[in-house]
Amino acid sequence: MKKGNLLYEGKAKKVFETDDPNILIVDYTDNATALNGLKKGTIVGKGAINNRMTNHMMRLLEQKGVPTHYVEELSDRETAVKRVSIVPLEVIIRNIAAGSFSKRYGVEEGTPLKISTIEFSYKDDALGDPLINDYHALALGLCTEEELNTIKKYAFAVNDMMKEYLLNLGIILVDFKLEVGRLADGTIVLADEISPDTCRFWDKDTMQKLDKDRFRRDMGGAEDAYQEVMKRLMGE
Ligand code: TMP
């Protein structure tokens, strides 16, 4: 597979075309942003960790019946994925109150939720990714009702699988964000990444944050936190 032209440059990843029109190459960088791009920085080593963790999780999810865009890890930072058109939704599952949920509803961070929740944001940087509900997503034509049901089913399946898997590694899955895309034939698959950039991970014993909140909140120790997650996941 030959790496071709740069198709798209996101905040933390670059996407390249290949000689196969159905395959793209994602290149993970160490760039970190927060506050819708207002805060910029670097987390050294993050690109390789996010690439490898995402692929590890996507391979596990595929085995459990959740389809993903994953094709093949090409290098520490590069992965071949199926070309999808991204559904412009950020799909967020929460198990424990944190971040915007705590702020919006006045719930102390760390409060366990009585049920796991799902919410959607409209993926639009100019609008600041506003929170929307199912009706809004359908009214805006972002997806069909059938697609929305599939997305919810997959998101909760990902939560069930990841929660258990990570707890065995001493990590509490607080919340996470997923993105999904459509293959050429319309099939919904998991896309984007599953990493400390897009999930909140807390150490089971110390409740220490092992994720991007260390960068977002200027806590320090982001590099070590990413390394620690990688070590537990891959034993290195
Ligand atoms: P929030 O509490 O800030 O809404 O974040 C919920 C989860 O979504 C958290 O695990 C971080 C993740 N997330 C992203 O991956 N990208 C984003 O742009 C935002 C706002 C959150």
Side-chain angles (χ1 to χ4, degrees), residues 94 97-104 109 175 200 213 217:
R94 300 180 191 268
S100 68
F101 186 98
S102 286
K103 209 167 168 183
R104 182 175 299 117
E109 205 164 74
D175 56 31
R200 285 197 171 94
D213 271 350
R217 301 180 186 187

Side-chain angles (χ1 to χ4, degrees), residues 32 34 39 42-43 98-99 109 196 199-203 206-226:
K39 183 181 164 76
T42 303
I43 301 174
E109 205 164 74
C199 306
R200 285 197 171 94
F201 299 137
W202 293 354
D203 179 87
T206 65
M207 299 305 251
Q208 265 204 6
K209 296 186 196 309
L210 298 173
D211 57 57
K212 196 178 166 191
D213 271 350
R214 295 200 155 270
F215 170 81
R216 295 187 189 102
R217 301 180 186 187
D218 294 318
M219 298 169 73
E223 277 89 358
D224 287 347
Y226 279 63

Side-chain angles (χ1 to χ4, degrees), residues 9 25 44 81 98 117 196 213 215 218:
E9 181 159 3
I25 292 175
V44 176
V81 299
T117 65
D213 271 350
F215 170 81
D218 294 318

Side-chain angles (χ1 to χ4, degrees), residues 115-141:
I115 60 164
S116 298
T117 65
I118 190 164
E119 72 202 43
F120 301 101
S121 294
Y122 177 24
K123 222 175 115 57
D124 185 314
D125 280 340
L127 297 175
D129 299 336
L131 186 68
I132 60 172
N133 70 23
D134 295 31
Y135 286 86
H136 299 154
L138 298 177
L140 291 168

